[in-house]
Amino acid sequence: MKAGKKPPPALLDNKLLAALPAEAQQHLFPHMKPVDFPLGKVLYESGDALNCVYFPTDSIVSLLYVMESGASAEISVVGNEGLIGISVFMGGESTTSRAIVQSAGSAFSLPSQRLRNEFNGFSEMRMLMLRYTQALITQMAQTAVCNRHHSIDQQLCRWLLLSLDRLDGTNLIMTQELIANMLGVRREGVTEAAGKLQQLGVIEYQRGRIQVINRHRLEELCCECYAVVKKETDRLQAFPVAA
Amino acid sequence: MKAGKKPPPALLDNKLLAALPAEAQQHLFPHMKPVDFPLGKVLYESGDALNCVYFPTDSIVSLLYVMESGASAEISVVGNEGLIGISVFMGGESTTSRAIVQSAGSAFSLPSQRLRNEFNGFSEMRMLMLRYTQALITQMAQTAVCNRHHSIDQQLCRWLLLSLDRLDGTNLIMTQELIANMLGVRREGVTEAAGKLQQLGVIEYQRGRIQVINRHRLEELCCECYAVVKKETDRLQAFPVAA
DNA sequence: GACGCTATGTGTGCTAGCTTACAGACAGAG
DNA sequence: CTCTGTCTGTAAGCTAGCACACATAGCGTC
């Protein structure tokens, strides 16, 4: 199934890095190191101070809150449009969530101090990072709304679309169990919802591999939450850098 | 019931303003104007670009997402610990939520451009604003978790505690209908939950006025969400400014 | 001091999602 | 090719919260 050898990940595969002004790229790129993220790897736990931040290229990372009971809920998801570790420049050093790899792949790491320096010194860099952070905030807000008002079916659609947007193809390597953890629902609930989608011919899946057949239909079945986040994220990325 | 005349609101009643370095205070305070927020006033709608930001003193403002169907859900709440309008310095200019006054009172307004200048020019000011923003993010994340996993009873407790922390006394002027809107649940659900709390002697209420009798018990009945947000907010406020 | 508005109480179904339990089915290892 | 662990399917019973409907009760007003 693997299409030969993957091309090595490039720094510019990350949209945030690609959008940086040339000067910032020159400052930062020499300090970036490629890293591999296996599925399930925990990048940091709640309360951990961060030594470095990560810019995903073809990996996806979930920010998850884990309750005392062990139950969990996804707060937001980060792919090649962003970075892991906003608390480094937001000033808190740590957050209350866990960062866990949801889809294996690559990323680039950068020591926190390098990012902080650049962030404080250069306003263009800062604006990019903060606008990305606002997009992340929008995603969190919509997650709260979706958790309150929408069915598992709808939420599964949202989740699949968010993941698809951060990957190349139409294949997701992901068990229903893991999706259930992310959504904070039972595994059986996901089985049921996924079964419906398969019957409708929207997706096909076998043992931990989900293929999206009809993305358009998926968007129709989804609640408004996906579109709201997508639209706002696009808007925030589209701003001219030299505002 | 009103204890004579209220003292006029002071700039330093807002903790964020009070924490500003003296220089920033000198720059900004001359441009601040006191404003009155009546209950229910909409400060901005989803997508509105903001002319000014607001620093509440004794008012409380909810950030609410309103769905196409008209149903709503509170994303977070802002009182004298913060400001309304983070998108002004986060770079997006607008957000997808509505800001609506949840508890009448006062605030100070500041033209957006003044804030932006100060934010971009002075790193101490920036750090304060960004750390507050991170606290806001934490609150949103926990709202998402709470919406997913906790009962109306628990959420009501969380909501009451969040409101209490932003007010002087133990009285809330607030109907069950409005609470239901904030939590994104039915009014009857709130009636039931509030009835239980009253029977337990934790609160007393009559027609739009809620009095908290036993705050300690309220915290016990609450889910962990309140404590998580409270602790993280305190941590983020406690940082030395000149980090 | 009767009227009417708004806030609150209650009650009867209904449904989504939960808990628990177990059965089938695919895939890699030996 | 069988074994075993991991995924996925299904089912019975339960509960929280829903939608809808209507009853009561403060409180200001005229």
Side-chain angles (χ1 to χ4, degrees), chain B residues 47-165:
Chain B
D48 284 359
L50 310 183
N51 297 323
C52 61
V53 298
Y54 302 100
F55 295 84
T57 56
D58 60 353
S59 54
I60 305 183
V61 176
S62 281
L63 306 185
L64 209 66
Y65 178 83
V66 183
M67 303 201 307
E68 290 161 9
S69 70
S72 59
E74 191 180 71
I75 302 306
S76 61
V77 58
V78 180
N80 66 359
E81 87 291 357
L83 89 168
I84 324 290
I86 58 166
S87 65
V88 162
F89 56 79
M90 293 300 283
E93 307 294 327
S94 68
T95 68
T96 57
S97 54
R98 166 187 296 176
I100 183 168
V101 177
Q102 182 207 99
S103 179
S106 305
F108 287 94
S109 73
L110 177 72
S112 303
Q113 194 54 51
R114 300 272 176 195
L115 181 72
R116 245 191 306 259
N117 290 344
E118 203 71 12
F119 180 87
N120 285 316
F122 296 87
S123 70
E124 289 189 15
M125 163 87 174
R126 195 157 63 226
M127 288 180 136
L128 267 178
M129 297 290 145
L130 291 184
R131 255 187 271 127
Y132 166 68
T133 303
Q134 193 182 327
L136 200 65
I137 289 174
T138 304
Q139 200 189 135
M140 291 183 187
Q142 213 61 36
T143 301
V145 172
C146 206
N147 282 353
R148 160 63 64 222
H149 290 289
H150 298 136
S151 67
I152 293 186
D153 298 19
Q154 292 174 307
Q155 291 182 53
L156 175 60
C157 293
R158 173 176 64 88
W159 193 90
L160 290 173
L161 288 166
L162 283 178
S163 299
L164 270 188
D165 284 349

Side-chain angles (χ1 to χ4, degrees), chain A residues 92 94 134 148 155 183 235, chain B residues 92 94 134 148 155 183 235:
Chain A
S94 68
Q134 192 181 327
R148 160 64 63 223
Q155 291 182 52
L183 295 182
R235 182 181 81 85
Chain B
S94 68
Q134 193 182 327
R148 160 63 64 222
Q155 291 182 53
L183 295 182
R235 181 181 80 85

